Every structure is written in C-alpha cells, then in structure tokens.
Amino acid sequence: MAEKTDVNAKWDACLDLSVRRFVYSSLAGAFGGLLLFRSPVSRWASVAFGAGVGIGSAYTDCSRIFQGSPAKMECPKKTSSVHKELTPLNTPSVPASQVAQFTIVCCTHSAYFILITLVSVHMAAKLFQEL
C-alpha cells in the first residue's frame, strides 16, 4: 500500500508542477509578446513558445521525479600540488561510462524540450493564421 501511495504522491507533484509551469510560462510568453510584437500571430506564437517551454521543463522534472535523479557530474576534488605533478594530465577523473550516461540523458531531455516547443509554436501559428 505504501508503494501505491508513493506513486500517487509523485503523480500529484508532477501534475501540480506541470500546471504551474504551463500557466506561468504562458503568461510570461503573453507578456513578452505584448512588449515585443505587433501582429497577433506573433503574439500567439510567443504564448505558444512559452507554453512549450513550460511543458518541456515540467516533463524534464517529472521524469526525474519518477525515475530518480540522473547521474550527476561532480567536480574532482582538489589535491596537493605534489599529487598534480605525479598525475598525467590526460587521466580522466570521472569514469567514461558515467560521462556517456550523463551526455545521453542531457541530450535526450534537450531533444524532448526542443521538440515540444517547436510543435507548440507550429500548431499555434497554423491555428491563428486561419483566423
């Protein structure tokens, strides 16, 4: 039963996060559109872009909530100058598998974010050109 409650809590947190980010970023896009653009199509495209940013950001954080935190890169600890002289310069301090995993996670989330944003802007532009 505790596992089901945990999943329900994750869904509640994800839904709350998604709605808030969608609304706030849409409002930011509307405000930016009012300040920067004159045509209604450009203003609505700005709102759609803001909505896409909010949805993409919420998607990234929700995937972290459900799957746990991705591998994090940590800076190597500083060592004494004597140790630096003995260590070759091309020796990696982070395992290659961890670097590859981090790169794949970052690229995947960036691709989802860009795709959602582009689809939102395209749909909004098409919709409001018909009006």
Side-chain angles (χ1 to χ4, degrees), residues 37-116:
F37 303 116
R38 295 181 108 186
S39 77
V41 174
S42 298
R43 288 180 177 174
W44 280 107
S46 175
V47 172
F49 179 77
V53 168
I55 291 171
S57 174
Y59 174 79
T60 302
D61 284 347
C62 285
S63 67
R64 284 189 190 132
I65 289 171
F66 280 103
Q67 297 173 354
S69 180
K72 293 183 180 177
M73 300 291 290
E74 293 183 12
C75 295
K77 295 180 181 176
K78 292 187 177 184
T79 58
S80 66
S81 61
V82 175
H83 184 349
K84 267 189 175 177
E85 293 173 1
L86 297 175
T87 305
L89 293 175
N90 60 357
T91 304
S93 60
V94 178
S97 62
Q98 187 178 5
V99 172
Q101 182 182 10
F102 180 77
T103 304
I104 289 170
V105 167
C106 288
C107 290
T108 304
H109 286 261
S110 298
Y112 286 144
F113 175 75
I114 291 169
L115 180 67
I116 289 170

